[in-house]
């Protein structure tokens, strides 16, 4: 077993370590996936959805599997083939995918290698101003929308880049200061509202890839419109599409790394007593602010996250408090908003939210 400096894997910025990390200098990509109980893991590089190259990964002492190759330039599609602790082989998308794409030839969503340095942002003025202003002391008028049904309907969603000019013009005309987008996270069903999430780092595949969303956010910022993501940290999609392929986080290495029990939505609740749950979701929230320049996070279904069957869930409460405090400290001006319907006492103060939705 290879060894790795324990400081390399940051608990709050997994997106800088895991997934497909492309290095422009030497034109190679390092893949890392956390599957501590797996017996073997391979990177499967695909073309038109079919296997083209298979690369064996090495297991590190952190539970990460790692492989580096020159054969995976940006745009290359890939999956992991995981031989789990029960001896079951399954193709999986990368839990830390920055872009995913649906490939009709195999009817699968697959991960895409992405160069995070390729897009050149033009919103420096907006970000500087955001850090200097308390958003609770400034005008706040929010336009909530589901991007995949906006203007065109579920079955013909518009690319992020195409949406940008018309959405921005509408917000400027109507006097909105922010847009709040739901259905932004990757989810498997195109007719679903977007709350059954299968990947916490990739934007929904039918709208385009990572840089397309960056363009939309950048365009809005350059017209003084903030962007709030509707984030779903309470429950997740757990079904496997077939015996040999899955886009879900569930049972990645054959064990239950994330879930507690069944949710109200036929999904699984996250278990915040599990360290990997806390790491993954903490990093997801920071990724959307750090790399995607979001100006606020609207936490969906907080009521079910922090209290079920008349009992508080202390691990979830402490997670929210720690995450919100981190956001306020590191990213001043970013809003933390709770969607909470049960009237939990002193929720804003207890968990350091800015407001309730």
């Amino acid at each position: 077993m290879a060894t790795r400096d324990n400081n390399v894997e940051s608990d709050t910025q997994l997106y800088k370590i895991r997934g497909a990390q492309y290095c422009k200098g030497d034109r190679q990509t390092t893949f890392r996936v956390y599957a501590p109980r797996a017996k073997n893991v391979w990177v499967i590089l695909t073309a038109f959805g079919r296997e083209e190259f298979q690369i064996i990964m090495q297991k590190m002492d952190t539970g990460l599997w790692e492989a580096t190759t020159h054969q995976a330039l940006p745009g290359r599609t890939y999956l992991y083939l995981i031989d789990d602790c029960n001896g079951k082989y399954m193709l999986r998308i990368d839990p830390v995918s920055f872009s995913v794409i649906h490939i009709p030839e195999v009817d699968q969503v697959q991960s895409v290698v992405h160069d995070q340095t390729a897009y050149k942002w033009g919103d420096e003025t907006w970000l500087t101003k955001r850090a200097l202003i308390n958003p609770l002391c400034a005008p706040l008028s929010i336009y909530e929308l589901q991007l995949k049904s906006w203007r065109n309907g579920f079955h013909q969603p518009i690319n992020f880049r195409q949406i940008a000019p018309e959405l921005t013009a509408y917000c400027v005309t109507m006097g909105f200061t922010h847009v709040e987008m739901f259905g932004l996270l990757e989810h498997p069903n195109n007719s679903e509202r977007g709350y059954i999430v299968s990947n916490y780092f990739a934007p929904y595949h039918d709208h385009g890839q990572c840089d397309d969303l960056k363009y939309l956010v950048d365009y809005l910022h350059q017209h003084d419109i903030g962007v709030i993501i509707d984030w779903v940290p309470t429950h997740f999609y757990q079904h496997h599409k077939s015996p040999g392929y899955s886009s879900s986080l569930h049972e990645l290495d054959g064990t239950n790394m994330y879930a507690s029990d069944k949710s109200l939505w036929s999904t699984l609740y996250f278990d915040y007593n599990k360290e990997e749950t806390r790491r993954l979701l903490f990093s997801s929230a920071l990724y959307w602010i750090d790399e995607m320049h979001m100006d606020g996070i609207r936490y969906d279904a907080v009521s079910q996250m922090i209290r079920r069957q008349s009992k508080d869930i202390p691990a979830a409460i402490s997670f929210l408090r720690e995450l919100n405090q981190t956001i306020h400290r590191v990213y001043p001006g970013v809003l933390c908003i709770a969607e909470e319907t049960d009237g939990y006492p002193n929720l804003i103060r207890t968990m350091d939210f800015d407001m309730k939705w």
Side-chain angles (χ1 to χ4, degrees):
M1 181 182 292
T3 60
R4 167 172 294 281
D5 183 346
N6 289 332
N7 293 323
V8 171
E9 169 98 303
S10 167
D11 282 353
T12 61
Q13 292 183 315
L14 300 185
Y15 52 91
K16 293 187 176 181
I17 301 298
R18 298 189 193 178
Q21 300 289 331
Y22 174 68
C23 178
K24 187 181 293 185
D26 52 19
R27 292 174 59 82
Q28 66 180 15
T29 300
T30 297
F31 296 88
R32 298 187 187 95
V33 61
Y34 185 71
R37 297 290 301 280
K39 297 177 181 178
N40 291 288
V41 182
W42 296 262
V43 180
I44 307 298
L45 303 180
T46 63
F48 301 101
R50 310 289 182 182
E51 178 181 328
E52 190 171 29
F53 300 103
Q54 185 179 108
I55 303 165
I56 186 71
M57 303 183 80
Q58 287 190 317
K59 189 176 183 181
M60 305 297 166
D61 60 2
T62 58
L64 286 175
W65 294 79
E66 179 178 296
T68 300
T69 178
H70 289 88
Q71 295 173 313
L73 297 177
R76 164 70 79 169
T77 52
Y78 71 98
L79 295 165
Y80 294 122
L81 175 61
I82 297 181
D83 173 13
D84 73 19
C85 65
N86 302 308
K88 182 178 180 179
Y89 288 77
M90 185 176 283
L91 291 167
R92 312 296 293 252
I93 69 168
D94 194 329
V96 185
S97 295
F98 306 119
S99 291
V100 295
I101 188 172
H102 178 257
I103 302 176
E105 289 88 346
V106 292
D107 191 24
Q108 290 179 354
V109 170
Q110 297 189 1
S111 302
V112 181
V113 176
H114 178 70
D115 179 3
Q116 289 284 46
T117 68
Y119 185 83
K120 304 305 179 186
W121 290 90
D123 62 351
E124 294 85 357
T125 300
W126 169 269
L127 295 180
T128 300
K129 182 174 68 174
R130 185 186 73 185
L132 298 174
I133 295 175
N134 180 350
L136 300 180
C137 297
L140 193 63
S141 178
I142 302 171
Y143 179 43
E144 181 181 35
L145 73 155
Q146 181 191 47
L147 282 177
K148 71 177 179 181
S149 62
W150 194 73
R151 304 292 290 171
N152 226 36
F154 285 124
H155 300 291
Q156 292 181 309
I158 308 172
N159 185 278
F160 291 120
R161 292 178 186 262
Q162 294 173 277
I163 291 170
E166 190 171 4
L167 176 59
T168 301
Y170 179 75
C171 289
V172 170
T173 299
M174 299 300 293
F176 290 111
T177 64
H178 291 72
V179 294
E180 186 267 328
M181 303 177 183
F182 67 93
L184 197 58
L185 296 166
E186 171 60 16
H187 52 278
N189 189 342
N190 69 348
S191 62
E192 195 266 331
R193 296 179 68 202
Y195 289 101
I196 311 299
V197 175
S198 55
N199 195 283
Y200 280 82
F201 296 84
Y204 179 56
H205 62 267
D206 274 352
H207 285 305
Q209 297 189 25
C210 180
D211 283 359
D212 299 318
L213 177 55
K214 288 180 179 179
Y215 177 89
L216 171 58
V217 174
D218 200 5
Y219 196 100
L220 286 161
H221 282 173
Q222 291 183 46
H223 291 81
D224 291 324
I225 306 295
V227 184
I228 299 167
I229 183 174
D230 195 331
W231 191 59
V232 189
T234 300
H235 61 112
F236 69 100
Y237 175 73
Q238 83 278 24
H239 299 294
H240 305 314
K241 185 172 182 178
S242 73
Y245 164 81
S246 179
S247 63
S248 171
L249 292 168
H250 193 43
E251 302 170 328
L252 189 74
D253 67 355
T255 66
N256 179 7
M257 291 194 288
Y258 301 102
S260 58
D261 49 359
K262 291 183 180 179
S263 78
L264 297 175
W265 304 279
S266 300
T267 53
L268 294 176
Y269 287 121
F270 278 110
D271 183 351
Y272 282 91
N273 286 300
K274 294 178 176 176
E275 190 58 36
E276 177 59 11
T277 293
R278 299 174 76 96
R279 280 197 295 256
L280 186 86
L281 290 176
F282 208 108
S283 296
S284 168
L286 297 192
Y287 171 78
W288 290 100
I289 301 170
D290 188 22
E291 297 288 342
M292 304 303 291
H293 291 201
M294 294 292 166
D295 305 292
I297 296 180
R298 183 257 201 196
Y299 297 67
D300 183 64
V302 169
S303 300
Q304 287 294 309
M305 182 179 174
I306 62 175
R307 186 173 175 82
R308 294 196 289 273
Q309 298 178 343
S310 301
K311 293 182 179 179
D312 283 4
I313 303 173
I317 293 170
S318 69
F319 171 84
L320 290 174
R321 183 188 306 116
E322 182 183 353
L323 175 56
N324 288 337
Q325 289 174 349
T326 299
I327 290 172
H328 289 139
R329 183 179 71 252
V330 180
Y331 304 101
V334 171
L335 286 162
C336 298
I337 305 169
E339 188 270 321
E340 194 274 336
T341 57
D342 290 350
Y344 189 92
N346 298 316
L347 178 136
I348 291 176
R349 183 179 303 171
T350 302
M351 285 158 256
D352 208 23
F353 281 106
D354 293 304
M355 62 180 69
K356 279 177 56 172
W357 191 277

